[in-house]
């Protein structure tokens, strides 16, 4: 089985304008065949799918696309998405609930936000190859957006092992471990910049694996961070930006990322393939002539975490062996 992971997907603002004169498949560029090849596609929806709503006061950036943009997510084949992030309530609670309803109506399972705390904590579940795959999503961003017992919001969890919400998350992971075959924990954590994973993230990610996570899928930083393999489980500390309209930092290069393709045997992760991508005119594309430069930088970031990534010249991607005998 192959599960594809991409980082932040933002189809609002200039991307939304481009989509008004382009087909729904446009944002995925020449990565679309690879996205569609996956048995399941996972990502972070970094915008609101709604036609109404007022911008959240005091925020610098508000991301929204009209509900028709769900056709773009469908065209790529998104199966599981995180909505635990710092943009899901950009246009208020009603718009957020409209966005979640739109995803549900189109068969895209989401996790990390809801009409109340119970819904926000609830895993998203799909079936593939007679296996049950679940994803729990949380964020440490926007504490004011934390869902309450009767109020909508996000599954907010501070990266602090002593915080009751962190303890509760680990309990949810342990409980789901006994129910599902493959468990993903999506973490929208930390700030926007910096290639090194904070020590607190590394420690908490390992706790998540110890509790039962098969994959820790991190995002929020606009740049890609290294991958660690811990107890034969991959930890993606920062998947970067897959498609958006953001200004590009010439040093950190937030326009460069990867399509992460996880291969499994049954429900056991065996190999991770990192296909270099870049954003060109509001579109994700295979990196082409910049691929080796992007891969070299990632190789060093992984090496700093004790992970060996090797370039496959035939498929033009980095390969991380999760199990030593994987092929």
């Amino acid at each position: 089985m192959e599960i594809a992971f991409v980082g932040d997907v933002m189809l609002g603002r200039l991307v939304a304008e481009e989509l008004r004169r382009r087909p729904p498949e446009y944002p995925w560029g020449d990565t679309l065949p690879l996205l569609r090849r996956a048995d399941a596609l996972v990502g972070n929806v970094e915008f609101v799918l709604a036609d109404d709503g007022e911008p959240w006061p005091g925020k610098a950036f508000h991301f929204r696309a009209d509900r028709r943009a769900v056709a773009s997510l469908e065209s790529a084949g998104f199966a599981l998405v995180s909505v635990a992030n710092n943009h899901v309530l950009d246009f208020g609670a009603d718009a957020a609930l409209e966005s979640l309803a739109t995803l549900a109506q189109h068969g895209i399972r989401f996790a990390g936000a809801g009409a109340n705390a119970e819904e926000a904590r609830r895993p998203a579940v799909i079936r593939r190859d007679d296996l049950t795959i679940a994803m729990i999503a949380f964020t440490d961003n926007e504490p004011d957006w934390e869902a309450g017992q009767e109020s909508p919001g996000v599954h907010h969890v501070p990266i602090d092992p002593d915080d009751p919400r962190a303890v509760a998350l680990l309990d949810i992971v342990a409980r789901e471990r006994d129910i599902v075959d493959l468990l993903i924990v999506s973490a929208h954590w930390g700030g926007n910049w910096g290639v090194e994973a904070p020590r607190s993230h590394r420690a908490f990610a390992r706790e998540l694996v110890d509790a039962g996570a098969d994959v820790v899928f991190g995002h929020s930083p606009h740049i890609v961070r290294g991958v660690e393999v811990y107890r034969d489980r991959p930890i993606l500390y920062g998947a970067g930006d897959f498609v958006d309209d953001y200004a590009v930092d010439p040093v950190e290069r937030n326009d460069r990322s990867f399509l992460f393709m996880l291969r499994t045997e049954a429900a056991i992760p065996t190999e991770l393939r990192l296909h270099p991508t870049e954003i060109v005119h509001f579109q994700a594309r295979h990196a082409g002539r910049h691929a080796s430069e992007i891969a070299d930088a990632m190789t060093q970031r992984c090496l700093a975490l004790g992970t060996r990534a090797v370039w496959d010249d035939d498929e033009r991607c980095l390969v991380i062996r999760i199990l030593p005998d994987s092929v």
Side-chain angles (χ1 to χ4, degrees):
M1 181 169 62
E2 290 186 314
I3 303 174
F5 293 83
V6 298
D8 291 359
V9 171
M10 202 292 287
L11 303 184
R13 299 196 312 186
L14 297 178
V15 185
E17 289 184 20
E18 193 69 23
L19 272 172
R20 292 189 183 103
R21 53 181 177 268
R22 301 280 191 172
E25 299 83 2
Y26 178 80
W28 321 120
D30 62 0
T31 71
L32 187 60
L34 191 57
L35 295 173
R36 287 177 169 173
R37 190 184 85 187
D39 296 287
L41 173 58
V42 183
N44 175 56
V45 172
E46 188 85 337
F47 66 102
V48 182
L49 273 165
D51 296 327
D52 299 310
E54 294 297 323
W56 190 277
K59 283 198 83 207
F61 300 105
H62 302 83
F63 301 150
R64 176 176 62 182
D66 63 53
R67 286 183 296 173
R68 291 175 297 178
V70 73
S72 291
L73 299 177
E74 285 185 297
S75 72
F78 279 94
L80 291 171
V81 298
S82 168
V83 287
N85 56 54
N86 56 317
H87 290 288
V88 68
L89 267 80
D90 273 359
F91 287 84
D94 288 345
L97 294 176
E98 179 184 355
S99 184
L100 302 185
T102 300
L103 291 170
Q105 289 163 8
H106 291 266
I108 300 172
R109 304 289 189 267
F110 61 85
N116 51 53
E118 181 181 356
E119 288 188 10
R121 291 192 294 262
R122 185 180 300 159
V125 181
I126 59 172
R127 293 279 295 176
R128 292 292 188 275
D129 293 344
D130 295 324
L131 299 173
T132 302
I133 302 169
M135 183 172 77
I136 301 162
F138 75 93
T139 181
D140 68 344
N141 292 188
E142 299 293 347
D144 291 343
W145 288 1
E146 182 174 3
Q149 288 188 344
E150 298 181 1
S151 58
V154 299
H155 183 194
H156 179 78
V157 178
I159 309 301
D160 176 358
D162 296 324
D163 190 286
R165 291 162 291 187
V167 174
L169 171 60
L170 294 171
D171 288 343
I172 295 170
V173 172
R175 182 191 70 208
E176 292 299 316
R177 171 72 283 156
D178 294 334
I179 300 172
V180 306
D181 297 301
L182 190 143
L183 181 59
I184 302 163
V185 178
S186 171
H188 197 76
W189 52 8
N192 289 338
W193 305 103
V195 299
E196 292 186 9
R199 289 185 179 181
S200 59
H201 289 195
R202 294 192 64 188
F204 195 59
R206 290 182 170 207
E207 286 197 61
L208 290 167
V209 173
D210 289 339
D214 292 302
V215 182
V216 177
F217 169 44
H219 36 88
S220 183
H222 292 313
I223 42 76
V224 179
R225 289 177 174 166
V227 174
E228 180 178 14
V229 177
Y230 171 67
R231 294 183 59 187
D232 297 333
R233 296 296 184 266
I235 300 171
L236 285 62
Y237 284 106
D241 293 347
F242 192 63
V243 63
D244 57 42
D245 68 348
Y246 307 158
V248 176
D249 185 289
V251 176
E252 302 230 37
R253 295 311 302 252
N254 50 297
D255 58 334
R256 295 178 174 181
S257 182
F258 292 90
L259 191 164
F260 300 82
M261 188 71 79
L262 178 69
R263 293 182 175 178
T264 71
E265 293 180 7
I268 306 299
T270 59
E271 181 181 274
L272 188 65
R273 289 184 168 253
L274 286 65
H275 299 264
T277 62
E278 55 188 342
I279 302 168
V280 180
H281 199 69
F282 320 127
Q283 187 178 61
R285 298 182 187 175
H286 287 292
R289 63 188 179 90
H290 296 130
S292 60
E293 181 182 349
I294 298 169
D296 287 347
M298 187 58 161
T299 299
Q300 295 305 311
R301 293 170 196 178
C302 291
L303 193 60
L305 296 168
T307 304
R308 185 168 180 261
V310 179
W311 181 252
D312 182 331
D313 203 41
D314 291 332
E315 200 168 335
R316 295 191 60 75
C317 68
L318 286 172
V319 180
I320 295 173
R321 308 286 188 194
I322 297 170
L323 295 183
D325 57 351
S326 62
V327 178

